[in-house]
Amino acid sequence: MKAKVAVIGPEDTVIRIQQLKKDSSPYELLPFTYTESSETPALLEQSLLCNIFLFTESIAYLYVKEIVEKRRLSIVVVDCDEYNLTTSLLQLCLNEQPYTRFSLDGVTKDVVQRAQIPLNSTGVELLPIYEEEVAEKKIESILNHHRNYWASGRTEYALTAYKEIARQLEAENIAVWHMDQPDSCYKLALEKLEKRIAFHTRASTQIVMGYFRFKHVEQMPDSLKAMILYRRLSELELLLQAFASKQDAIVLRSVQDGVVIIGSRKLLDYLSKHYTKFPLIRKINEHIQEPVGIGFGLGFTSLQAHQHAMMALEMTAEEQESSCYIINESQVKLGPLGVKKPINTSFLYQALIHKAKLNNELSYNFIEFITLRNNKPFSSSDVADYYRVTKRSAERTINKLLSAEIIKIAGTERPYQRGRPRKLFALL
C-alpha cells in the first residue's frame, strides 16, 4: 500500500509537484489547493487521514503549525533557499536601474546569512521578516512589513515568496518581485518525502483494531437473548470475514458479546478512502437488522490500538442507529464515519471572529473541534478535553458562543459518574 501524501498549496504549485513525482514513488499525492493561505486550517481538517503533509508554501504551514505540533503530524515544507534568493537579487541588481535595498519575506535567518556572505561587498541591504516573527494575522503582518519599509523610503523593492502577497503589493503600486521556486526545491521536498516514508516503514507499523457490538442487546427478551445474539453474531462474523480477507485483516469473536477485527496498513487505507462514505456500515445494516456500534482504534502497539478502539466504541452509545468512530494514535476523535454533516467553515469563522470576539487561534481550534466531531453535540467537558484547558475556561468560551448565538443548548447527557446531567451544545 502506498503512503498517502496531502499536498497543500496554490493550484499551480500543487500541479508542479504532481508533474515532478516519479511513477515509481512509494506514495500517492492527494491535492488540497487554496487561493488564500488562510484556507489551510480547513484543508488540513479534510486531509487528516493522510500519512504525511507536504506544504508547497511555508506561509500555509504557519497557519497550522500549532495544530501540526499538537498532533505530531509528519510534514515536509518547501522552503525558499539561498540560491533562490540570490538568483532573484541578481536579476534585480543587473536591471537597467539597479536596486540595492529590499524588504524580504518567506525566509529563515540561516538562508539570509548564507545569501548575505557573497553580497557583503555589493552594498545590497536586506530587511527581512523571518517566519518566526510573523504575527497572528499572518498575511497582514507580512504585508505591513513591506508597506512600512516602502512608505518610509527604506526599500526600493519588495521580495516575496508568496503570490498572494505579490498580488496585493502590486495592487498598492509597491514595486515587488515574486521569488518563484525552482524545480530543484520541489524535487528536494519529494526526496525528503521518500526518506520520511522509508523511515516510517522501517520504524513502525500502525495497528488498527475495530470493535463491533450490537447496540440494543439489553432490550432483547431474556428467554431469547442468547439465541438471537448468537445468530446475529454469527451473521456479523461471516460478513466481516469476507471484508477482512480483502483488507489483510483477521476477525475474532470478542468475550464481550462482539466481534473484533485486527489489521494494519491495508485496513487503515480502507478507512482513509471511505471516511465520509463508509460502505461497510451500510452493508451491515442491509444484512443484519440490528444497529451496531463500531469503534476503530489506531496505535503503534496492540494495547494502544485496543484502548483507542474501546474509547471510540463508547462514543457510539449515544446514537440509536448504527454508527462508527475512530480514535487515532494521537487520540484525535474522528466520526461518525459515513455521515457527513455540512459545515460552512467560512461563515462560522466570520461569526467566531466578529460576533463571539474569539481570536484566530481559538476560532480555528473551534472549527477543527466541530468538524472532527462532525457537528455532534458537545459538552463543556468535551471542549476542555480538546483544548486541554480547565472546565471553567471552556465554560467561558461556551458562554461567548451562546451570547453570540453561534451555538444553542441541544439537550443533556447522563454523567459517567454520579452527578447532575451535563448540558449539550450544538451549532445553530
Side-chain angles (χ1 to χ4, degrees), residues 1 4 206 208 212 239-251 261-274 278-280 283 296:
M1 181 189 83
K4 285 184 167 47
Q206 206 167 37
V208 184
F212 297 71
L239 189 152
L240 291 178
Q241 288 285 6
F243 168 77
S245 65
K246 299 176 182 178
Q247 313 305 329
D248 294 344
I250 60 171
V251 174
I261 185 168
I262 304 171
S264 56
R265 296 190 178 192
K266 202 165 184 180
L267 181 55
L268 179 58
D269 185 45
Y270 176 89
L271 296 176
S272 302
K273 285 181 177 178
H274 301 93
F278 194 48
L280 177 60
K283 194 168 186 178
F296 279 100

PDB file of all heavy atoms in Angstrom, residues 1 4 206 208 212 239-251 261-274 278-280 283 296:
ATOM      1  N   MET A   1       0.834  -1.181   0.000  1.00  0.00           N
ATOM      2  CA  MET A   1       0.000   0.000   0.000  1.00  0.00           C
ATOM      3  C   MET A   1       0.880   1.245   0.000  1.00  0.00           C
ATOM      4  O   MET A   1       1.813   1.356   0.788  1.00  0.00           O
ATOM      5  CB  MET A   1      -0.905   0.011   1.224  1.00  0.00           C
ATOM      6  CG  MET A   1      -1.822   1.205   1.287  1.00  0.00           C
ATOM      7  SD  MET A   1      -2.687   1.319   2.873  1.00  0.00           S
ATOM      8  CE  MET A   1      -1.430   2.135   3.844  1.00  0.00           C
ATOM      9  N   LYS A   4      -0.079   7.891   1.748  1.00  0.00           N
ATOM     10  CA  LYS A   4      -0.886   8.990   1.226  1.00  0.00           C
ATOM     11  C   LYS A   4      -0.268  10.313   1.684  1.00  0.00           C
ATOM     12  O   LYS A   4      -0.071  10.539   2.867  1.00  0.00           O
ATOM     13  CB  LYS A   4      -2.321   8.863   1.732  1.00  0.00           C
ATOM     14  CG  LYS A   4      -3.091   7.760   1.018  1.00  0.00           C
ATOM     15  CD  LYS A   4      -4.521   7.726   1.479  1.00  0.00           C
ATOM     16  CE  LYS A   4      -5.339   6.853   0.545  1.00  0.00           C
ATOM     17  NZ  LYS A   4      -4.688   5.582   0.272  1.00  0.00           N
ATOM     18  N   GLN A 206       1.631   0.706  11.909  1.00  0.00           N
ATOM     19  CA  GLN A 206       0.469   1.069  12.704  1.00  0.00           C
ATOM     20  C   GLN A 206      -0.517  -0.087  12.784  1.00  0.00           C
ATOM     21  O   GLN A 206      -0.789  -0.756  11.798  1.00  0.00           O
ATOM     22  CB  GLN A 206      -0.206   2.294  12.090  1.00  0.00           C
ATOM     23  CG  GLN A 206      -0.987   3.121  13.071  1.00  0.00           C
ATOM     24  CD  GLN A 206      -1.349   4.466  12.483  1.00  0.00           C
ATOM     25  OE1 GLN A 206      -1.644   4.572  11.304  1.00  0.00           O
ATOM     26  NE2 GLN A 206      -1.346   5.493  13.301  1.00  0.00           N
ATOM     27  N   VAL A 208      -4.341  -1.412  13.548  1.00  0.00           N
ATOM     28  CA  VAL A 208      -5.741  -0.970  13.515  1.00  0.00           C
ATOM     29  C   VAL A 208      -6.593  -2.046  14.170  1.00  0.00           C
ATOM     30  O   VAL A 208      -6.523  -3.217  13.802  1.00  0.00           O
ATOM     31  CB  VAL A 208      -6.228  -0.735  12.074  1.00  0.00           C
ATOM     32  CG1 VAL A 208      -7.655  -0.188  12.074  1.00  0.00           C
ATOM     33  CG2 VAL A 208      -5.295   0.203  11.334  1.00  0.00           C
ATOM     34  N   PHE A 212     -16.864  -4.346  17.168  1.00  0.00           N
ATOM     35  CA  PHE A 212     -18.241  -4.302  16.676  1.00  0.00           C
ATOM     36  C   PHE A 212     -19.142  -4.875  17.774  1.00  0.00           C
ATOM     37  O   PHE A 212     -18.910  -5.998  18.244  1.00  0.00           O
ATOM     38  CB  PHE A 212     -18.393  -5.133  15.402  1.00  0.00           C
ATOM     39  CG  PHE A 212     -17.584  -4.623  14.234  1.00  0.00           C
ATOM     40  CD1 PHE A 212     -16.198  -4.744  14.215  1.00  0.00           C
ATOM     41  CD2 PHE A 212     -18.206  -4.029  13.148  1.00  0.00           C
ATOM     42  CE1 PHE A 212     -15.446  -4.284  13.149  1.00  0.00           C
ATOM     43  CE2 PHE A 212     -17.458  -3.561  12.070  1.00  0.00           C
ATOM     44  CZ  PHE A 212     -16.082  -3.696  12.071  1.00  0.00           C
ATOM     45  N   LEU A 239     -19.935 -11.918   7.728  1.00  0.00           N
ATOM     46  CA  LEU A 239     -19.829 -10.755   6.855  1.00  0.00           C
ATOM     47  C   LEU A 239     -18.450 -10.094   6.997  1.00  0.00           C
ATOM     48  O   LEU A 239     -17.822  -9.714   6.009  1.00  0.00           O
ATOM     49  CB  LEU A 239     -20.943  -9.765   7.220  1.00  0.00           C
ATOM     50  CG  LEU A 239     -21.176  -8.560   6.303  1.00  0.00           C
ATOM     51  CD1 LEU A 239     -22.637  -8.119   6.369  1.00  0.00           C
ATOM     52  CD2 LEU A 239     -20.280  -7.400   6.675  1.00  0.00           C
ATOM     53  N   LEU A 240     -17.963  -9.997   8.236  1.00  0.00           N
ATOM     54  CA  LEU A 240     -16.666  -9.366   8.472  1.00  0.00           C
ATOM     55  C   LEU A 240     -15.503 -10.225   7.985  1.00  0.00           C
ATOM     56  O   LEU A 240     -14.456  -9.699   7.609  1.00  0.00           O
ATOM     57  CB  LEU A 240     -16.495  -9.039   9.961  1.00  0.00           C
ATOM     58  CG  LEU A 240     -17.387  -7.925  10.512  1.00  0.00           C
ATOM     59  CD1 LEU A 240     -17.154  -7.740  12.005  1.00  0.00           C
ATOM     60  CD2 LEU A 240     -17.122  -6.613   9.775  1.00  0.00           C
ATOM     61  N   GLN A 241     -15.689 -11.548   7.997  1.00  0.00           N
ATOM     62  CA  GLN A 241     -14.637 -12.426   7.472  1.00  0.00           C
ATOM     63  C   GLN A 241     -14.410 -12.137   5.998  1.00  0.00           C
ATOM     64  O   GLN A 241     -13.261 -12.078   5.535  1.00  0.00           O
ATOM     65  CB  GLN A 241     -15.039 -13.897   7.663  1.00  0.00           C
ATOM     66  CG  GLN A 241     -15.003 -14.391   9.092  1.00  0.00           C
ATOM     67  CD  GLN A 241     -13.596 -14.638   9.601  1.00  0.00           C
ATOM     68  OE1 GLN A 241     -12.621 -14.332   8.931  1.00  0.00           O
ATOM     69  NE2 GLN A 241     -13.488 -15.192  10.812  1.00  0.00           N
ATOM     70  N   ALA A 242     -15.500 -11.945   5.255  1.00  0.00           N
ATOM     71  CA  ALA A 242     -15.389 -11.642   3.830  1.00  0.00           C
ATOM     72  C   ALA A 242     -14.717 -10.280   3.621  1.00  0.00           C
ATOM     73  O   ALA A 242     -13.875 -10.108   2.729  1.00  0.00           O
ATOM     74  CB  ALA A 242     -16.773 -11.647   3.188  1.00  0.00           C
ATOM     75  N   PHE A 243     -15.088  -9.304   4.468  1.00  0.00           N
ATOM     76  CA  PHE A 243     -14.485  -7.977   4.391  1.00  0.00           C
ATOM     77  C   PHE A 243     -13.000  -8.033   4.754  1.00  0.00           C
ATOM     78  O   PHE A 243     -12.151  -7.454   4.073  1.00  0.00           O
ATOM     79  CB  PHE A 243     -15.234  -7.032   5.346  1.00  0.00           C
ATOM     80  CG  PHE A 243     -14.533  -5.713   5.581  1.00  0.00           C
ATOM     81  CD1 PHE A 243     -14.570  -4.711   4.632  1.00  0.00           C
ATOM     82  CD2 PHE A 243     -13.850  -5.490   6.772  1.00  0.00           C
ATOM     83  CE1 PHE A 243     -13.926  -3.496   4.856  1.00  0.00           C
ATOM     84  CE2 PHE A 243     -13.206  -4.290   6.998  1.00  0.00           C
ATOM     85  CZ  PHE A 243     -13.244  -3.287   6.037  1.00  0.00           C
ATOM     86  N   ALA A 244     -12.661  -8.737   5.835  1.00  0.00           N
ATOM     87  CA  ALA A 244     -11.291  -8.793   6.328  1.00  0.00           C
ATOM     88  C   ALA A 244     -10.353  -9.469   5.339  1.00  0.00           C
ATOM     89  O   ALA A 244      -9.173  -9.105   5.236  1.00  0.00           O
ATOM     90  CB  ALA A 244     -11.246  -9.515   7.674  1.00  0.00           C
ATOM     91  N   SER A 245     -10.852 -10.435   4.605  1.00  0.00           N
ATOM     92  CA  SER A 245      -9.993 -11.144   3.650  1.00  0.00           C
ATOM     93  C   SER A 245      -9.466 -10.208   2.562  1.00  0.00           C
ATOM     94  O   SER A 245      -8.401 -10.424   2.001  1.00  0.00           O
ATOM     95  CB  SER A 245     -10.763 -12.308   3.018  1.00  0.00           C
ATOM     96  OG  SER A 245     -11.843 -11.810   2.225  1.00  0.00           O
ATOM     97  N   LYS A 246     -10.216  -9.134   2.293  1.00  0.00           N
ATOM     98  CA  LYS A 246      -9.787  -8.161   1.279  1.00  0.00           C
ATOM     99  C   LYS A 246      -8.857  -7.093   1.872  1.00  0.00           C
ATOM    100  O   LYS A 246      -8.214  -6.360   1.126  1.00  0.00           O
ATOM    101  CB  LYS A 246     -11.019  -7.477   0.663  1.00  0.00           C
ATOM    102  CG  LYS A 246     -11.963  -8.435  -0.049  1.00  0.00           C
ATOM    103  CD  LYS A 246     -13.196  -7.685  -0.547  1.00  0.00           C
ATOM    104  CE  LYS A 246     -14.182  -8.637  -1.210  1.00  0.00           C
ATOM    105  NZ  LYS A 246     -15.410  -7.936  -1.663  1.00  0.00           N
ATOM    106  N   GLN A 247      -8.832  -7.019   3.203  1.00  0.00           N
ATOM    107  CA  GLN A 247      -8.040  -5.972   3.861  1.00  0.00           C
ATOM    108  C   GLN A 247      -6.826  -6.533   4.596  1.00  0.00           C
ATOM    109  O   GLN A 247      -6.212  -5.826   5.413  1.00  0.00           O
ATOM    110  CB  GLN A 247      -8.925  -5.191   4.865  1.00  0.00           C
ATOM    111  CG  GLN A 247     -10.275  -4.759   4.346  1.00  0.00           C
ATOM    112  CD  GLN A 247     -10.197  -3.938   3.083  1.00  0.00           C
ATOM    113  OE1 GLN A 247      -9.220  -3.219   2.883  1.00  0.00           O
ATOM    114  NE2 GLN A 247     -11.204  -4.034   2.222  1.00  0.00           N
ATOM    115  N   ASP A 248      -6.488  -7.798   4.342  1.00  0.00           N
ATOM    116  CA  ASP A 248      -5.360  -8.451   5.036  1.00  0.00           C
ATOM    117  C   ASP A 248      -5.515  -8.364   6.551  1.00  0.00           C
ATOM    118  O   ASP A 248      -4.554  -8.101   7.296  1.00  0.00           O
ATOM    119  CB  ASP A 248      -4.018  -7.823   4.625  1.00  0.00           C
ATOM    120  CG  ASP A 248      -3.679  -8.075   3.164  1.00  0.00           C
ATOM    121  OD1 ASP A 248      -4.304  -8.973   2.567  1.00  0.00           O
ATOM    122  OD2 ASP A 248      -2.813  -7.370   2.622  1.00  0.00           O
ATOM    123  N   ALA A 249      -6.740  -8.557   7.024  1.00  0.00           N
ATOM    124  CA  ALA A 249      -7.042  -8.450   8.455  1.00  0.00           C
ATOM    125  C   ALA A 249      -7.598  -9.774   8.957  1.00  0.00           C
ATOM    126  O   ALA A 249      -7.929 -10.675   8.170  1.00  0.00           O
ATOM    127  CB  ALA A 249      -8.043  -7.325   8.701  1.00  0.00           C
ATOM    128  N   ILE A 250      -7.701  -9.916  10.293  1.00  0.00           N
ATOM    129  CA  ILE A 250      -8.283 -11.113  10.881  1.00  0.00           C
ATOM    130  C   ILE A 250      -9.473 -10.721  11.739  1.00  0.00           C
ATOM    131  O   ILE A 250      -9.564  -9.598  12.253  1.00  0.00           O
ATOM    132  CB  ILE A 250      -7.255 -11.891  11.737  1.00  0.00           C
ATOM    133  CG1 ILE A 250      -6.732 -11.012  12.890  1.00  0.00           C
ATOM    134  CG2 ILE A 250      -6.114 -12.396  10.884  1.00  0.00           C
ATOM    135  CD1 ILE A 250      -5.882 -11.769  13.888  1.00  0.00           C
ATOM    136  N   VAL A 251     -10.404 -11.654  11.903  1.00  0.00           N
ATOM    137  CA  VAL A 251     -11.623 -11.425  12.684  1.00  0.00           C
ATOM    138  C   VAL A 251     -11.676 -12.427  13.826  1.00  0.00           C
ATOM    139  O   VAL A 251     -11.436 -13.620  13.631  1.00  0.00           O
ATOM    140  CB  VAL A 251     -12.883 -11.548  11.803  1.00  0.00           C
ATOM    141  CG1 VAL A 251     -14.150 -11.456  12.650  1.00  0.00           C
ATOM    142  CG2 VAL A 251     -12.888 -10.471  10.733  1.00  0.00           C
ATOM    143  N   ILE A 261     -11.937  -6.931  14.762  1.00  0.00           N
ATOM    144  CA  ILE A 261     -11.166  -7.053  13.524  1.00  0.00           C
ATOM    145  C   ILE A 261      -9.812  -6.388  13.769  1.00  0.00           C
ATOM    146  O   ILE A 261      -9.736  -5.306  14.352  1.00  0.00           O
ATOM    147  CB  ILE A 261     -11.903  -6.412  12.323  1.00  0.00           C
ATOM    148  CG1 ILE A 261     -11.127  -6.661  11.024  1.00  0.00           C
ATOM    149  CG2 ILE A 261     -12.137  -4.929  12.523  1.00  0.00           C
ATOM    150  CD1 ILE A 261     -11.919  -6.315   9.770  1.00  0.00           C
ATOM    151  N   ILE A 262      -8.725  -7.054  13.343  1.00  0.00           N
ATOM    152  CA  ILE A 262      -7.371  -6.553  13.580  1.00  0.00           C
ATOM    153  C   ILE A 262      -6.619  -6.529  12.250  1.00  0.00           C
ATOM    154  O   ILE A 262      -6.578  -7.532  11.531  1.00  0.00           O
ATOM    155  CB  ILE A 262      -6.604  -7.442  14.582  1.00  0.00           C
ATOM    156  CG1 ILE A 262      -7.386  -7.551  15.903  1.00  0.00           C
ATOM    157  CG2 ILE A 262      -5.211  -6.885  14.837  1.00  0.00           C
ATOM    158  CD1 ILE A 262      -6.812  -8.569  16.863  1.00  0.00           C
ATOM    159  N   GLY A 263      -6.047  -5.388  11.931  1.00  0.00           N
ATOM    160  CA  GLY A 263      -5.305  -5.263  10.682  1.00  0.00           C
ATOM    161  C   GLY A 263      -4.235  -4.201  10.810  1.00  0.00           C
ATOM    162  O   GLY A 263      -3.922  -3.742  11.903  1.00  0.00           O
ATOM    163  N   SER A 264      -3.691  -3.793   9.665  1.00  0.00           N
ATOM    164  CA  SER A 264      -2.678  -2.743   9.699  1.00  0.00           C
ATOM    165  C   SER A 264      -2.875  -1.831   8.490  1.00  0.00           C
ATOM    166  O   SER A 264      -3.897  -1.177   8.377  1.00  0.00           O
ATOM    167  CB  SER A 264      -1.261  -3.336   9.750  1.00  0.00           C
ATOM    168  OG  SER A 264      -1.048  -4.223   8.665  1.00  0.00           O
ATOM    169  N   ARG A 265      -1.917  -1.809   7.606  1.00  0.00           N
ATOM    170  CA  ARG A 265      -1.908  -0.771   6.570  1.00  0.00           C
ATOM    171  C   ARG A 265      -3.092  -0.847   5.602  1.00  0.00           C
ATOM    172  O   ARG A 265      -3.680   0.179   5.264  1.00  0.00           O
ATOM    173  CB  ARG A 265      -0.612  -0.858   5.774  1.00  0.00           C
ATOM    174  CG  ARG A 265       0.590  -0.555   6.619  1.00  0.00           C
ATOM    175  CD  ARG A 265       1.817  -0.416   5.787  1.00  0.00           C
ATOM    176  NE  ARG A 265       2.947  -0.074   6.632  1.00  0.00           N
ATOM    177  CZ  ARG A 265       4.105   0.330   6.177  1.00  0.00           C
ATOM    178  NH1 ARG A 265       4.283   0.443   4.900  1.00  0.00           N
ATOM    179  NH2 ARG A 265       5.083   0.622   7.004  1.00  0.00           N
ATOM    180  N   LYS A 266      -3.427  -2.025   5.160  1.00  0.00           N
ATOM    181  CA  LYS A 266      -4.494  -2.129   4.175  1.00  0.00           C
ATOM    182  C   LYS A 266      -5.838  -1.734   4.778  1.00  0.00           C
ATOM    183  O   LYS A 266      -6.657  -1.085   4.125  1.00  0.00           O
ATOM    184  CB  LYS A 266      -4.546  -3.556   3.615  1.00  0.00           C
ATOM    185  CG  LYS A 266      -5.237  -3.637   2.258  1.00  0.00           C
ATOM    186  CD  LYS A 266      -4.953  -4.962   1.581  1.00  0.00           C
ATOM    187  CE  LYS A 266      -5.568  -4.987   0.191  1.00  0.00           C
ATOM    188  NZ  LYS A 266      -5.307  -6.268  -0.497  1.00  0.00           N
ATOM    189  N   LEU A 267      -6.067  -2.126   6.015  1.00  0.00           N
ATOM    190  CA  LEU A 267      -7.301  -1.741   6.697  1.00  0.00           C
ATOM    191  C   LEU A 267      -7.324  -0.231   6.935  1.00  0.00           C
ATOM    192  O   LEU A 267      -8.358   0.426   6.768  1.00  0.00           O
ATOM    193  CB  LEU A 267      -7.426  -2.494   8.017  1.00  0.00           C
ATOM    194  CG  LEU A 267      -8.686  -2.218   8.856  1.00  0.00           C
ATOM    195  CD1 LEU A 267      -9.953  -2.455   8.053  1.00  0.00           C
ATOM    196  CD2 LEU A 267      -8.677  -3.081  10.114  1.00  0.00           C
ATOM    197  N   LEU A 268      -6.192   0.334   7.313  1.00  0.00           N
ATOM    198  CA  LEU A 268      -6.106   1.778   7.510  1.00  0.00           C
ATOM    199  C   LEU A 268      -6.352   2.516   6.197  1.00  0.00           C
ATOM    200  O   LEU A 268      -7.018   3.560   6.169  1.00  0.00           O
ATOM    201  CB  LEU A 268      -4.724   2.152   8.065  1.00  0.00           C
ATOM    202  CG  LEU A 268      -4.464   3.639   8.309  1.00  0.00           C
ATOM    203  CD1 LEU A 268      -5.485   4.213   9.283  1.00  0.00           C
ATOM    204  CD2 LEU A 268      -3.055   3.854   8.831  1.00  0.00           C
ATOM    205  N   ASP A 269      -5.842   1.962   5.108  1.00  0.00           N
ATOM    206  CA  ASP A 269      -6.063   2.554   3.791  1.00  0.00           C
ATOM    207  C   ASP A 269      -7.551   2.572   3.453  1.00  0.00           C
ATOM    208  O   ASP A 269      -8.076   3.548   2.914  1.00  0.00           O
ATOM    209  CB  ASP A 269      -5.279   1.769   2.734  1.00  0.00           C
ATOM    210  CG  ASP A 269      -5.364   2.409   1.360  1.00  0.00           C
ATOM    211  OD1 ASP A 269      -5.203   3.644   1.279  1.00  0.00           O
ATOM    212  OD2 ASP A 269      -5.604   1.697   0.375  1.00  0.00           O
ATOM    213  N   TYR A 270      -8.246   1.493   3.798  1.00  0.00           N
ATOM    214  CA  TYR A 270      -9.699   1.431   3.561  1.00  0.00           C
ATOM    215  C   TYR A 270     -10.416   2.522   4.347  1.00  0.00           C
ATOM    216  O   TYR A 270     -11.280   3.230   3.813  1.00  0.00           O
ATOM    217  CB  TYR A 270     -10.243   0.054   3.964  1.00  0.00           C
ATOM    218  CG  TYR A 270     -11.747  -0.061   3.832  1.00  0.00           C
ATOM    219  CD1 TYR A 270     -12.323  -0.472   2.635  1.00  0.00           C
ATOM    220  CD2 TYR A 270     -12.578   0.260   4.897  1.00  0.00           C
ATOM    221  CE1 TYR A 270     -13.699  -0.556   2.504  1.00  0.00           C
ATOM    222  CE2 TYR A 270     -13.957   0.176   4.779  1.00  0.00           C
ATOM    223  CZ  TYR A 270     -14.510  -0.239   3.580  1.00  0.00           C
ATOM    224  OH  TYR A 270     -15.885  -0.300   3.459  1.00  0.00           O
ATOM    225  N   LEU A 271     -10.063   2.673   5.613  1.00  0.00           N
ATOM    226  CA  LEU A 271     -10.696   3.696   6.456  1.00  0.00           C
ATOM    227  C   LEU A 271     -10.419   5.095   5.912  1.00  0.00           C
ATOM    228  O   LEU A 271     -11.288   5.972   5.932  1.00  0.00           O
ATOM    229  CB  LEU A 271     -10.194   3.585   7.892  1.00  0.00           C
ATOM    230  CG  LEU A 271     -10.545   2.290   8.638  1.00  0.00           C
ATOM    231  CD1 LEU A 271      -9.898   2.281  10.017  1.00  0.00           C
ATOM    232  CD2 LEU A 271     -12.052   2.131   8.765  1.00  0.00           C
ATOM    233  N   SER A 272      -9.203   5.305   5.416  1.00  0.00           N
ATOM    234  CA  SER A 272      -8.833   6.615   4.880  1.00  0.00           C
ATOM    235  C   SER A 272      -9.639   6.953   3.628  1.00  0.00           C
ATOM    236  O   SER A 272     -10.096   8.085   3.458  1.00  0.00           O
ATOM    237  CB  SER A 272      -7.333   6.642   4.541  1.00  0.00           C
ATOM    238  OG  SER A 272      -6.559   6.351   5.674  1.00  0.00           O
ATOM    239  N   LYS A 273      -9.812   5.967   2.756  1.00  0.00           N
ATOM    240  CA  LYS A 273     -10.514   6.202   1.497  1.00  0.00           C
ATOM    241  C   LYS A 273     -12.019   6.358   1.682  1.00  0.00           C
ATOM    242  O   LYS A 273     -12.686   7.019   0.893  1.00  0.00           O
ATOM    243  CB  LYS A 273     -10.252   5.043   0.525  1.00  0.00           C
ATOM    244  CG  LYS A 273      -8.876   5.044  -0.096  1.00  0.00           C
ATOM    245  CD  LYS A 273      -8.735   3.882  -1.059  1.00  0.00           C
ATOM    246  CE  LYS A 273      -7.378   3.899  -1.750  1.00  0.00           C
ATOM    247  NZ  LYS A 273      -7.199   2.746  -2.655  1.00  0.00           N
ATOM    248  N   HIS A 274     -12.573   5.715   2.711  1.00  0.00           N
ATOM    249  CA  HIS A 274     -14.034   5.676   2.871  1.00  0.00           C
ATOM    250  C   HIS A 274     -14.500   6.376   4.138  1.00  0.00           C
ATOM    251  O   HIS A 274     -15.467   5.975   4.768  1.00  0.00           O
ATOM    252  CB  HIS A 274     -14.515   4.218   2.875  1.00  0.00           C
ATOM    253  CG  HIS A 274     -14.160   3.469   1.629  1.00  0.00           C
ATOM    254  ND1 HIS A 274     -13.002   2.723   1.517  1.00  0.00           N
ATOM    255  CD2 HIS A 274     -14.786   3.367   0.442  1.00  0.00           C
ATOM    256  CE1 HIS A 274     -12.958   2.184   0.305  1.00  0.00           C
ATOM    257  NE2 HIS A 274     -14.020   2.559  -0.362  1.00  0.00           N
ATOM    258  N   PHE A 278     -18.966   5.331   4.209  1.00  0.00           N
ATOM    259  CA  PHE A 278     -18.444   4.121   4.845  1.00  0.00           C
ATOM    260  C   PHE A 278     -19.312   2.924   4.443  1.00  0.00           C
ATOM    261  O   PHE A 278     -20.298   2.609   5.119  1.00  0.00           O
ATOM    262  CB  PHE A 278     -18.443   4.328   6.365  1.00  0.00           C
ATOM    263  CG  PHE A 278     -17.632   3.312   7.122  1.00  0.00           C
ATOM    264  CD1 PHE A 278     -16.350   2.987   6.733  1.00  0.00           C
ATOM    265  CD2 PHE A 278     -18.165   2.674   8.231  1.00  0.00           C
ATOM    266  CE1 PHE A 278     -15.600   2.057   7.435  1.00  0.00           C
ATOM    267  CE2 PHE A 278     -17.434   1.743   8.938  1.00  0.00           C
ATOM    268  CZ  PHE A 278     -16.148   1.441   8.534  1.00  0.00           C
ATOM    269  N   PRO A 279     -18.993   2.266   3.308  1.00  0.00           N
ATOM    270  CA  PRO A 279     -19.857   1.204   2.791  1.00  0.00           C
ATOM    271  C   PRO A 279     -20.010   0.012   3.724  1.00  0.00           C
ATOM    272  O   PRO A 279     -21.014  -0.688   3.669  1.00  0.00           O
ATOM    273  CB  PRO A 279     -19.180   0.797   1.472  1.00  0.00           C
ATOM    274  CG  PRO A 279     -17.790   1.324   1.558  1.00  0.00           C
ATOM    275  CD  PRO A 279     -17.825   2.516   2.442  1.00  0.00           C
ATOM    276  N   LEU A 280     -19.021  -0.236   4.598  1.00  0.00           N
ATOM    277  CA  LEU A 280     -19.117  -1.392   5.488  1.00  0.00           C
ATOM    278  C   LEU A 280     -20.328  -1.276   6.407  1.00  0.00           C
ATOM    279  O   LEU A 280     -21.067  -2.255   6.602  1.00  0.00           O
ATOM    280  CB  LEU A 280     -17.839  -1.521   6.318  1.00  0.00           C
ATOM    281  CG  LEU A 280     -17.842  -2.667   7.350  1.00  0.00           C
ATOM    282  CD1 LEU A 280     -18.028  -4.020   6.666  1.00  0.00           C
ATOM    283  CD2 LEU A 280     -16.560  -2.643   8.172  1.00  0.00           C
ATOM    284  N   LYS A 283     -23.463  -1.968   4.520  1.00  0.00           N
ATOM    285  CA  LYS A 283     -23.622  -3.391   4.222  1.00  0.00           C
ATOM    286  C   LYS A 283     -24.118  -4.156   5.450  1.00  0.00           C
ATOM    287  O   LYS A 283     -24.968  -5.057   5.342  1.00  0.00           O
ATOM    288  CB  LYS A 283     -22.286  -3.968   3.752  1.00  0.00           C
ATOM    289  CG  LYS A 283     -22.394  -5.336   3.102  1.00  0.00           C
ATOM    290  CD  LYS A 283     -21.096  -5.689   2.405  1.00  0.00           C
ATOM    291  CE  LYS A 283     -21.256  -6.991   1.637  1.00  0.00           C
ATOM    292  NZ  LYS A 283     -20.014  -7.341   0.909  1.00  0.00           N
ATOM    293  N   PHE A 296     -13.096   2.043  15.962  1.00  0.00           N
ATOM    294  CA  PHE A 296     -11.766   1.712  15.450  1.00  0.00           C
ATOM    295  C   PHE A 296     -10.717   2.490  16.235  1.00  0.00           C
ATOM    296  O   PHE A 296     -10.868   3.692  16.486  1.00  0.00           O
ATOM    297  CB  PHE A 296     -11.637   2.064  13.968  1.00  0.00           C
ATOM    298  CG  PHE A 296     -12.215   1.031  13.044  1.00  0.00           C
ATOM    299  CD1 PHE A 296     -13.469   1.216  12.483  1.00  0.00           C
ATOM    300  CD2 PHE A 296     -11.505  -0.126  12.750  1.00  0.00           C
ATOM    301  CE1 PHE A 296     -14.017   0.263  11.629  1.00  0.00           C
ATOM    302  CE2 PHE A 296     -12.043  -1.084  11.898  1.00  0.00           C
ATOM    303  CZ  PHE A 296     -13.306  -0.888  11.341  1.00  0.00           C
TER     304      PHE A 296
END
